[in-house]
Structure formats: structure tokens, C-alpha cells
Amino acid sequence: MLDQIAAILEQADLRIKEFKRDTYEESFQKYLQDNASVFSQLNEISAEEVPLEEQDRNREAAADCLAVKAEEMLAAAKNRTKRETMQLNLNLYMVSYFLPAIVAYQRQCGGREEDMKKLTTAICDRWAVSFKNHIQVSDYESIKSGFKQKLCFVTTAVCQGMQKPQDCREIALMKRYRDEYLLRQEDGEAVVHEYYDIAPTIVKRIAKEASPEEKYLYLWNHYIKKCVELVEHNRNEQCRSLYEVMMNELKEEYMVTDQHKHE
């Protein structure tokens, strides 16, 4: 069972190529179906007939085998650049495919949310120990809707980087600002689409930095917090101007060439 669980990481490169707005839905459903036996085994960890202490050991074993497999894959990379790229892809694969698939399978089977959270928490905690990357659990529906968030990609990344929950006040407020104000402006839809085209790449490039949390804190203090305050006081156009300044700064720093926009 542990070998099967570990081997699922070998699908990372293929799945990341399909992690796009037009292909993610079909790709995820196929991934869930093709690997049903693995997620069934993970689901059985919390079966009622399994003693609680054994459940805990099994969760730790599953989390450990994933981290060890990832460490082996990174060690086999030929140079630092390849290792950094692989680490980024593995992180993205975990949060966009593997962890959401655990959630989706358990929900399909009527599993208990508490048991699912124990398993995914064990995996995320072990991952953090090995790679100092704090990956977070999301579900398929949230990620799918994330492709429609557009303006909120950067805001969401910053808030999550500061350990704020996905339903925090700041993210909710900026989503409402996008939907109820910006998209209703004459050029609002075009502006939102431009953000959507570049924001995912910017977020991925920030994640590759040695200390992404420092960048998140900078963006929070200089832009996000101020934008939220402006929206709260109905100063919507000032918020737009400040957000545009932030995005232009990020484009200059992370979008080096036009080719990067297609990554």
C-alpha cells in the first residue's frame, strides 16, 4: 500500500501540465478515477474496525512515505534549478490534485470530515518538516472556482501565506469588490482578464523564492491591507489604482519575458 501511495507522486509533471482552466476539471476527474485504489486504501485507514492507535500509525506511515519519495525524486534531480522546479511542481501537485482527491474520495464514500482532516494534516505536517514548505489543503470545488477568482489570485496567496483561512474577511471583501464594483466598470472585465492571465505565474514564482513569507508580508503591508481599508470606506477607485500599482510592480519583478506568460 505504501509503495502505491508513494508512486502516485510520479504523476506530478503530467498533472501540472493539465492544471489549466480549460483542462483541470477533466484532468482531476480522470486522476481520481485512475487512482481510486490508492484513495480507497487511504480512506480505509479510518475504518471503524481499525483501532484508533493503528489509525494514527497508518496516517503517519502514509505521510512519511510521500515525503521520502519526494526527497528521493529531488535528490535524483541533476542540478539546483531542476530541484527547485521539481519542488515547486510537487507542491502544486499536492495541493491541486493529491490532497483534493483525498477530500473528494472520502466525501463520495461518506467518510467523516474529521478523519479526512487528520490524514491531510498529517501529510501537510510531514511535508513541512522535510521541505519547509507549508502546503495547505483545499478541495476540488474551491480550486475549480479559483480559476474564476482572477483578481483574487494574489490576494489569496498573500493571505494564505500569512496563515489566514481561505474564508477570511480580506479575501471575501476583495472578491465582493471584484464582482460588485470592478466587473461593472466599462473596462473592468478586460482588467480582470489581464490579472487572471498573469497572476497564477506570479504566485508560482513567489513560491519559488527562498523566503516567500517575506514577500507576502511586504505585499500585505504595502498593498493588500490598504486595499481592504479603502474598500471598507467605499473608496473603490483608489483601491483599483493601488492594486494596479502592486500588479505592475509584480509584473516587472516576475514576468521577465512574454514567454513566461504561457508557463
Side-chain angles (χ1 to χ4, degrees):
M1 181 186 75
L2 294 179
D3 288 341
Q4 283 186 308
I5 294 172
I8 206 169
L9 290 183
E10 296 172 359
Q11 302 179 30
D13 286 345
L14 171 62
R15 297 304 173 185
I16 292 308
K17 292 178 182 178
E18 298 172 346
F19 186 58
K20 301 176 182 178
R21 178 178 56 181
D22 297 332
T23 56
Y24 178 60
E25 181 175 4
E26 180 179 352
S27 174
F28 180 82
Q29 296 302 332
K30 186 177 187 303
Y31 173 79
L32 188 60
Q33 180 179 354
D34 290 349
N35 298 285
S37 61
V38 173
F39 296 113
S40 174
Q41 291 171 349
L42 289 170
N43 188 54
E44 290 173 2
I45 287 176
S46 302
E48 291 184 1
E49 61 271 17
V50 180
L52 293 179
E53 290 186 1
E54 185 176 343
Q55 289 184 26
D56 290 338
R57 288 196 299 269
N58 289 342
R59 292 187 189 102
E60 295 300 326
D64 190 63
C65 78
L66 286 163
V68 170
K69 175 65 174 180
E71 289 168 350
E72 292 174 352
M73 293 171 66
L74 291 167
K78 294 182 179 180
N79 55 54
R80 178 179 177 181
T81 300
K82 289 186 179 296
R83 283 194 298 274
E84 291 177 347
T85 300
M86 182 180 292
Q87 181 71 76
L88 177 63
N89 286 343
L90 286 170
N91 291 347
L92 184 57
Y93 167 76
M94 291 292 287
V95 300
S96 60
Y97 281 91
F98 184 73
L99 292 170
I102 292 177
V103 176
Y105 191 90
Q106 288 212 344
R107 287 176 177 173
Q108 288 177 8
C109 297
R112 294 181 299 179
E113 290 284 322
E114 179 182 356
D115 294 330
M116 176 269 292
K117 289 180 180 178
K118 287 180 180 179
L119 174 59
T120 54
T121 297
I123 292 171
C124 291
D125 288 349
R126 179 65 174 83
W127 199 266
V129 170
S130 289
F131 310 114
K132 312 305 178 187
N133 296 136
H134 296 279
I135 59 176
Q136 297 186 12
V137 181
S138 186
D139 57 23
Y140 162 73
E141 290 78 14
S142 297
I143 295 172
K144 183 182 175 183
S145 68
F147 281 107
K148 301 178 182 178
Q149 288 179 356
K150 300 168 184 176
L151 178 64
C152 295
F153 262 110
V154 174
T155 301
T156 300
V158 171
C159 288
Q160 290 181 349
M162 297 183 65
Q163 307 300 313
K164 290 179 175 289
Q166 293 183 357
D167 59 350
C168 71
R169 180 179 63 88
E170 292 83 2
I171 294 176
L173 193 66
M174 292 305 292
K175 285 181 180 179
R176 189 164 67 248
Y177 166 78
R178 175 202 65 202
D179 295 337
E180 297 181 4
Y181 175 77
L182 188 57
L183 283 172
R184 296 181 181 181
Q185 305 306 301
E186 183 175 353
D187 61 342
E189 187 170 350
V191 171
V192 169
H193 277 296
E194 179 186 3
Y195 290 147
Y196 174 70
D197 286 339
I198 64 174
T201 296
I202 289 173
V203 168
K204 287 193 290 185
R205 290 177 181 271
I206 291 175
K208 289 181 66 175
E209 294 188 342
S211 300
E213 63 277 2
E214 294 181 4
K215 190 66 175 183
Y216 291 141
L217 182 60
Y218 167 80
L219 293 173
W220 173 262
N221 288 329
H222 285 77
Y223 296 109
I224 303 299
K225 182 171 67 173
K226 294 179 181 179
C227 280
V228 169
E229 292 173 353
L230 289 170
V231 172
E232 287 178 326
H233 291 86
N234 293 317
R235 298 169 64 185
N236 294 319
E237 196 58 32
Q238 290 94 325
C239 173
R240 173 176 173 171
S241 297
L242 183 59
Y243 209 96
E244 287 178 349
V245 171
M246 179 185 75
M247 292 303 296
N248 287 332
E249 178 181 316
L250 291 173
K251 279 195 291 185
E252 291 183 7
E253 185 171 358
Y254 295 102
M255 304 295 291
V256 181
T257 68
D258 290 338
Q259 180 180 357
H260 290 151
K261 296 181 182 180
H262 302 291
E263 290 185 357

